[in-house]
């Protein structure tokens, strides 16, 4: 009797397990893309316009359904960290979003994973052809023109915002075009007793760090990687000089807030919004609504960053006048997705002229659609300036290790900031840190 | 028939029947209480042997199938991921090989060697991180232990408003860790944060003292975690206190014992096992705390606050060194197992003593 009871119990357990497995399988089936013709799209969440983004998603979803009969299921990420994690999870599991909205400088790393479709000429035709898109953005679409994986969606040129009132008070007529002028202007603006500083630093930020040091290094004539992408050059003298110049703002010229060593980009923007900063660097047009909301509307200007290195009258021999980095969002189709054709139709929809112009009007990001960019530039002076800045933007090296390089440079800056904060900083500490970073990155290059 | 015999043996062990949990077993036990003649215990066997026999027989005939769901979950949630992590720790797995990770190059112990010998430019080395984690978890546990015990004592006996105080005590514990991290980050901001303002007003420190960078970052993390986690010790202690007989207190009072004597000679000795478990769980919890330092400092964190979980996260998911991250994870698991092993061992020793 007992044996039969135990046998029955085992049988029920197995049946329960089987039921669980069936339910799990059904669960997968319910969310399957192919069966329900539902396109899963992952994009960056808009922290400035959350309500408008939801409305935009609903509108695009409805239009896409009308056009193709398929539905759109949206997913969002709020930070680059989350973007990386979601991408890694999808690549390993072979399931997840059909379309990934990727930050432009993350496209090389995404391509290195081999988890995305390489776009053919026929694919490009389905989204309107390569000539539809802004040429600078196309430089980051893939490791070569015939091996592109990403389609440009929106672009965000970088520049500098300056406080017109503080400039006027300091008797400065125009924003600086050289780093020497920049330091001089910042010194004129700085009034430590009033908590006002000529510029800002955010060495604890994960991304502004590499952007600023890379821009300064390029202006001095050196990239973080050799042109064949096989040799790390993070410990080059130009990179070390760039780092030292940046930290000189706090330690030598005293033109940034002494509390800024722990700042991230948001802290710098908040200080600028409070009218305590003369010039904030490496900002995109997405800062405009934040500053307007802070009550600075009409009291600030958006201009390109200086290009002539400190102490020089002109660019050195190999120096490039880098005013902006090719930046924005691109769309890539996961290679596990069975809905490639549907995905291309979706991308074609949101990159057409009308939708691109509408998107810019709502969110402030510039269109990558050439016709839309030119049309908006002809009507709006600010956008015309931004489009011009993007035309001069420089692409970062297309290396699968670029994401690691960003993190490594953030690590170097974090350690220097740590030393500055605890009064232990010496310029001589820069080179060993860069040597260590270089060695670490070199071991990852393939 | 063997099944019934086994359970009749159970009855001869004083107090053992209380360990019988299933309804089936209870029914069986009740049905055989009137058949003591079916309990063949050899006369020459000692008490320990009787206990051993009872345990082994009852174990053999318990409805072990009830363990299946738990075992299945353990295998799926812990076993398989651990085996995968262990396997990955021998691979050169990065962004280039992520998609076909099973075919990633086998590198033997290289990842283990590298994690012990190479130091990353981002954050600390593995051993430095281990030091930070050990210091953080032990120090925080040491700090919250007296706070939690004292808090539990304040609400152990009934008084007006006790329920409100009990709820108040739980507030830090129920706040999500990321919210705690955000709040304390704002409070520790140099120059503008509440901590610097208060210290400056009291002339104890410069208003521009850094708490999120440098050596102070470690203390900032300890303070924030102490604030958030002491209610755990409080809850464990209170649960233990509620289980103590009031007669013990009464007789101690009759003997003229003061508060300190009651605490050190009556309460704490009786709570020893409960507190040992609380200290173990608390230490492990602090050791594995990822969210608090992640939110307070972001990445890369200051080297002084680069706890092991954060270090592993940055290595694996931001530097795409999944093999190295897995090796560090295996190492961490071994470290974490040590106190657990010691605790289980001490429990077994206690059981033997009790029997």
């Amino acid at each position: 009797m007992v044996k039969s009871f135990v046998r029955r119990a085992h049988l029920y357990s197995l049946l329960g397990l089987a039921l669980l497995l069936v339910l799990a399988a059904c669960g997968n089936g319910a969310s399957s893309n192919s069966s329900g013709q539902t396109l899963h799209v992952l994009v960056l969440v808009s922290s400035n316009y959350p309500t408008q983004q939801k409305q935009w998603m609903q509108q695009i979803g409805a239009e896409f359904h009308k056009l193709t009969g398929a539905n759109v299921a949206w997913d969002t990420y709020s930070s680059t960290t989350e973007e990386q994690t979601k991408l890694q999870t999808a690549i390993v599991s072979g399931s997840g979003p059909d379309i990934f909205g990727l930050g432009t400088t993350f496209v090389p790393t995404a391509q290195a994973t081999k988890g995305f479709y390489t776009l053919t000429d026929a694919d490009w035709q389905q989204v309107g052809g390569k000539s539809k898109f802004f040429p600078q953005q196309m430089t980051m679409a893939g490791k070569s023109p015939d091996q592109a994986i990403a389609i440009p969606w929106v672009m965000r040129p970088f520049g500098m915002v300056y406080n017109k009132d503080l400039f006027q008070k300091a008797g400065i007529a125009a924003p600086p075009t050289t780093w020497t002028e920049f330091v001089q202007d910042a010194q004129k603006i700085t009034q430590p007793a009033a908590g006002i500083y000529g510029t800002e630093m955010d060495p604890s930020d994960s991304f502004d760090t590499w952007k600023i040091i890379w821009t300064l290094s390029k202006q001095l004539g050196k990239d973080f990687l050799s042109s064949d992408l096989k040799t790390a050059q993070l410990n080059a003298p130009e990179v070390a000089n760039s780092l030292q110049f940046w930290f000189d703002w706090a330690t030598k010229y005293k033109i940034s807030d002494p509390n800024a060593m722990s700042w991230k980009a948001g802290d710098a923007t908040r200080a600028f919004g409070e009218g305590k900063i003369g010039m904030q660097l490496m900002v995109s047009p997405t800062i405009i609504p934040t500053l307007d909301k802070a009550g600075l509307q009409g009291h600030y200007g958006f201009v390109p960053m200086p290009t002539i290195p400190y102490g020089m009258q002109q660019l050195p021999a190999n120096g490039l006048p880098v005013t902006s980095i090719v930046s924005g969002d691109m769309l890539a189709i996961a290679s596990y997705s069975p809905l490639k054709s549907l995905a291309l139709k979706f991308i074609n929809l949101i990159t057409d002229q009308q939708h691109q112009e509408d998107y810019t009007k709502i969110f402030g990001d510039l269109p990558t659609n050439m016709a839309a960019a030119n049309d908006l530039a002809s009507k709006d002076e600010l956008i015309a300036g931004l489009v011009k800045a993007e035309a001069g933007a420089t692409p970062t090296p297309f290396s699968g290790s670029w994401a690691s390089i960003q993190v490594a440079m953030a690590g170097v800056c974090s350690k220097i900031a740590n030393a500055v904060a605890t009064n232990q900083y010496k310029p001589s500490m820069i080179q060993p840190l860069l040597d260590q970073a270089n060695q670490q990155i070199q071991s990852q290059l393939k | 028939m063997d099944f019934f015999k086994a359970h009749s043996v159970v009855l001869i062990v004083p107090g053992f029947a209380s360990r019988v949990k299933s309804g089936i077993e209870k029914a069986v036990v009740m049905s055989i209480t009137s058949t003591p003649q079916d309990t063949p215990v050899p006369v020459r066997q000692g008490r320990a042997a009787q206990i051993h026999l009872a345990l082994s027989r009852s174990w053999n005939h318990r409805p072990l199938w009830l363990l299946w769901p738990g075992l299945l979950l353990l295998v799926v949630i812990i076993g398989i991921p651990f085996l995968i992590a262990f396997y990955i720790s021998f691979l050169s797995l990065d962004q280039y090989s992520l998609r076909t990770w099973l075919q990633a190059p086998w590198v033997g112990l290289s990842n283990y060697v590298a994690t012990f010998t190479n130091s990353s430019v981002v954050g600390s080395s593995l051993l430095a991180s281990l030091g930070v984690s050990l210091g953080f978890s032990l120090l925080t546990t040491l700090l919250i232990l007296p706070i939690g015990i004292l808090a539990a004592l304040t609400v152990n006996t009934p008084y007006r408003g006790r329920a409100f105080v009990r709820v108040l005590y739980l507030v830090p514990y129920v706040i999500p860790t990321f919210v705690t991290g955000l709040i304390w980050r704002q409070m520790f901001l140099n120059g503008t944060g509440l901590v610097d303002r208060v210290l400056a007003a009291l002339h104890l420190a410069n208003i521009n003292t850094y708490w999120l960078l440098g050596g102070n970052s470690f203390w900032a993390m300890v303070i924030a975690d102490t604030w958030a986690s002491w209610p755990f010790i409080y809850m464990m202690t209170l649960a233990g206190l509620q289980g103590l007989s009031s007669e013990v207190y009464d007789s101690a009072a009759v003997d003229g014992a003061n508060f300190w004597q009651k605490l050190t000679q009556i309460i704490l000795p009786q709570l020893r096992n409960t507190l040992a478990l609380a200290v173990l769980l608390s230490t492990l919890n602090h050791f594995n705390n990822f969210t608090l330092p992640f939110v307070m400092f972001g990445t890369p964190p200051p080297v002084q606050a680069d706890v092991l979980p954060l270090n592993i996260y940055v290595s694996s998911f931001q530097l795409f060194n999944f093999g190295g991250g897995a090796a560090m994870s295996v190492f961490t698991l071994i470290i974490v197992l040590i106190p657990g092993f010691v605790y289980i061992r001490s429990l077994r020793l206690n059981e033997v003593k009790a029997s």
Side-chain angles (χ1 to χ4, degrees):
Chain A
M1 188 183 93
V2 174
K3 278 183 180 171
S4 69
F5 169 76
V6 172
R7 262 203 307 273
R8 230 179 14 248
H10 277 88
L11 183 65
Y12 289 146
S13 301
L14 285 172
L15 283 174
L17 181 63
L19 184 65
L20 274 175
L21 292 173
V22 170
L23 284 173
C26 288
N28 285 336
S31 62
S32 165
N33 300 328
S34 52
S35 62
Q37 290 287 288
T38 297
L39 194 68
H40 292 254
V41 182
L42 176 72
V43 294
L44 177 66
V45 75
S46 173
S47 53
N48 285 327
Y49 304 98
T51 312
Q52 290 89 335
Q53 189 180 35
K54 277 181 189 165
Q55 289 169 350
W56 178 81
M57 285 174 172
Q58 283 174 356
Q59 183 206 326
I60 293 294
E63 286 185 35
F64 188 63
H65 183 72
K66 197 175 170 185
L67 189 73
T68 62
N71 298 312
V72 180
W74 298 91
D75 189 8
T76 57
Y77 59 88
S78 58
S79 65
T80 313
T81 305
E82 196 181 352
E83 175 192 19
Q84 285 190 13
T85 309
K86 288 198 170 181
L87 183 136
Q88 289 160 357
T89 308
I91 296 298
V92 172
S93 65
S95 66
D98 299 290
I99 299 176
F100 281 79
L102 300 170
T104 305
T105 58
F106 192 56
V107 172
T109 305
Q111 184 155 36
T113 65
K114 304 180 194 78
F116 296 90
Y117 280 116
T118 301
L119 299 166
T120 62
D121 287 341
D123 295 334
W124 279 107
Q125 286 309 314
Q126 281 200 60
V127 295
K130 289 179 180 176
S131 59
K132 172 179 165 182
F133 300 98
F134 214 83
Q136 256 63 27
Q137 293 293 314
M138 289 298 290
T139 59
M140 294 301 288
K143 56 186 170 187
S144 65
D146 60 338
Q147 293 185 72
I149 62 158
I151 298 161
W153 177 27
V154 293
M155 54 192 192
R156 300 184 200 98
F158 290 110
M160 176 178 90
V161 283
Y162 68 100
N163 186 312
K164 289 180 178 176
D165 297 343
L166 291 178
F167 264 58
Q168 196 179 2
K169 206 179 282 182
I172 305 165
T177 55
T178 72
W179 288 107
T180 308
E181 289 172 6
F182 173 86
V183 171
Q184 288 167 350
D185 290 347
Q187 284 173 328
K188 287 178 195 166
I189 294 167
T190 300
Q191 300 170 48
I196 292 171
Y197 292 90
T199 189
E200 50 74 39
M201 291 180 71
D202 51 359
S204 290
D205 191 85
S206 303
F207 300 98
D208 275 3
T209 40
W210 75 260
K211 287 176 192 167
I212 288 171
I213 303 306
W214 183 77
T215 300
L216 294 171
S217 300
K218 287 290 283 184
Q219 291 174 354
L220 282 169
K222 205 70 170 181
D223 208 321
F224 287 172
L225 292 176
S226 62
S227 54
D228 62 1
L229 307 177
K230 289 181 179 169
T231 308
Q233 303 179 150
L234 288 161
N235 59 348
E238 291 86 348
V239 182
N241 288 343
S242 300
L243 258 175
Q244 186 173 339
F245 173 60
W246 196 39
F247 280 95
D248 277 350
W249 297 2
T251 58
K252 188 175 175 184
Y253 307 126
K254 315 281 185 189
I255 53 177
S256 76
D257 193 324
N259 283 311
M261 290 303 111
S262 59
W263 282 11
K264 296 179 185 293
D267 299 313
T269 302
R270 190 181 63 243
F272 188 87
E274 290 168 354
K276 292 181 175 176
I277 303 292
M279 294 172 277
Q280 186 182 355
L281 296 165
M282 206 55 76
V283 292
S284 74
T286 52
I287 196 176
I288 292 170
T290 310
L291 297 181
D292 289 351
K293 208 182 284 181
L296 276 189
Q297 196 165 16
H299 296 273
Y300 68 92
F302 193 106
V303 292
M305 287 178 281
T307 53
I308 309 296
Y310 185 74
M312 296 184 185
Q313 301 299 318
Q314 59 185 17
L315 282 168
N318 298 320
L320 285 176
V322 178
T323 55
S324 179
I325 302 167
V326 175
S327 176
D329 288 335
M330 305 184 107
L331 301 164
I333 306 168
S335 54
Y336 55 70
S337 170
L339 304 175
K340 183 185 175 191
S341 178
L342 201 60
L344 290 169
K345 283 178 186 163
F346 175 84
I347 294 171
N348 187 43
L349 177 75
I350 64 168
T351 56
D352 72 23
Q353 184 176 348
Q354 191 56 52
H355 285 99
Q356 287 263 288
E357 290 192 24
D358 291 345
Y359 195 89
T360 299
K361 285 170 190 167
I362 300 169
F363 301 103
D365 291 323
L366 291 186
T368 53
N369 181 307
M370 279 291 285
N374 290 334
D375 185 44
L376 290 174
S378 67
K379 297 170 187 168
D380 188 314
E381 198 180 330
L382 178 64
I383 292 181
L386 294 171
V387 170
K388 193 179 169 189
E390 183 62 31
T394 308
T396 46
F398 203 94
S399 166
S401 297
W402 190 252
S404 302
I405 290 172
Q406 295 177 1
V407 178
M409 187 51 74
V412 170
C413 289
S414 170
K415 286 183 174 170
I416 298 174
N418 219 24
V420 174
T422 51
N423 297 318
Q424 292 171 335
Y425 169 72
K426 287 177 187 166
S428 59
M429 69 182 291
I430 292 176
Q431 193 60 49
L433 283 170
L434 287 177
D435 288 341
Q436 192 184 2
N438 200 65
Q439 191 182 2
Q440 194 167 334
I441 294 302
Q442 185 62 53
S443 68
Q444 291 187 19
L445 293 178
K446 288 183 180 175
Chain B
M1 190 60 192
D2 290 343
F3 185 76
F4 291 94
K5 277 185 182 174
H7 284 279
S8 62
V9 174
V10 167
L11 292 176
I12 66 164
V13 183
F16 197 85
S18 64
R19 300 169 81 173
V20 178
K21 296 233 168 44
S22 81
I24 299 166
E25 281 180 312
K26 279 180 182 172
V28 171
V29 170
M30 287 172 70
S31 70
I32 60 169
T33 47
S34 59
T35 58
Q37 65 273 23
D38 287 345
T39 58
V41 182
V43 176
R44 282 180 294 176
Q45 282 183 337
R47 184 176 170 76
Q50 287 180 26
I51 293 168
H52 178 73
L53 181 67
L55 284 172
S56 61
R57 285 193 175 180
S58 64
W59 176 254
N60 289 338
H61 294 279
R62 283 189 175 191
L64 297 180
W65 60 272
L66 284 171
L67 294 174
W68 276 39
L71 279 174
L72 186 70
L73 283 174
L74 277 175
V75 169
V76 171
I77 295 171
I78 297 173
I80 294 174
F82 170 72
L83 290 175
I84 291 173
F86 190 63
Y87 176 66
I88 287 176
S89 70
F90 299 104
L91 303 178
S92 172
L93 185 62
D94 54 21
Q95 63 269 44
Y96 299 96
S97 51
L98 187 60
R99 190 178 168 215
T100 51
W101 63 277
L102 280 170
Q103 281 86 48
W106 180 270
V107 292
L109 293 171
S110 298
N111 288 325
Y112 289 91
V113 174
T115 51
F116 279 102
T117 54
N118 298 349
S119 61
S120 171
V121 75
V122 186
S124 306
S125 64
L126 176 73
L127 292 177
S129 271
L130 175 65
V132 172
S133 280
L134 283 175
F136 168 64
S137 52
L138 292 174
L139 192 60
T140 313
T141 303
L142 271 178
L143 286 171
I144 66 173
L145 190 63
I147 299 172
I149 292 171
L150 287 175
L153 289 170
T154 62
V155 293
N156 188 36
T157 50
Y159 58 85
R160 191 176 178 143
R162 183 176 73 155
F164 174 74
V165 178
R166 281 184 170 182
V167 171
L168 203 64
Y169 281 173
L170 288 177
V171 169
Y173 200 65
V174 296
I175 293 177
T177 310
F178 76 93
V179 177
T180 303
L182 279 176
I183 292 170
W184 281 98
R185 177 178 168 78
Q186 292 301 317
M187 287 172 60
F188 277 123
L189 275 177
N190 45 307
T192 54
L194 187 67
V195 174
D196 267 357
R197 283 170 191 255
V198 170
L199 290 177
L202 296 171
H203 302 289
L204 292 174
N206 187 300
I207 193 163
N208 294 331
T209 304
Y210 276 96
W211 288 94
L212 301 175
L213 282 177
N216 285 348
S217 59
F218 176 80
W219 296 107
M221 187 168 64
V222 168
I223 292 168
D225 204 29
T226 299
W227 180 84
S229 60
W230 67 264
F232 174 72
I233 300 287
Y234 151 73
M235 283 190 296
M236 294 287 283
T237 310
L238 188 60
L241 285 172
Q242 298 289 301
L244 296 184
S245 166
S246 60
E247 291 168 4
V248 184
Y249 297 115
D250 295 340
S251 53
V254 168
D255 289 343
N258 60 29
F259 171 77
W260 182 250
Q261 286 170 323
K262 281 187 201 171
L263 179 67
T264 55
Q265 292 173 31
I266 297 173
I267 298 173
L268 290 182
Q270 290 197 71
L271 291 179
R272 193 178 56 191
N273 285 344
T274 306
L275 288 177
L277 179 63
V279 166
L280 174 79
L281 293 177
S282 173
T283 308
L284 294 180
N285 201 26
H286 295 306
F287 194 89
N288 289 323
N289 196 337
F290 167 82
T291 311
L292 188 76
F294 180 72
V295 175
M296 280 183 74
F297 309 111
T299 55
V303 288
Q304 295 87 347
D306 191 12
V307 290
L308 260 180
L310 205 51
N311 194 333
I312 293 170
Y313 171 77
V314 171
S315 298
S316 303
F317 297 102
Q318 295 200 334
L319 286 167
F320 288 86
N321 180 11
F322 298 101
M328 291 163 85
S329 300
V330 171
F331 171 71
T332 304
L333 181 72
I334 293 166
I335 297 292
V336 166
L337 279 178
I338 293 170
F341 177 78
V342 170
Y343 175 73
I344 291 167
R345 182 100 181 140
S346 67
L347 276 186
R348 279 191 183 160
L349 287 173
N350 283 344
E351 275 182 13
V352 170
K353 279 180 191 170
S355 64

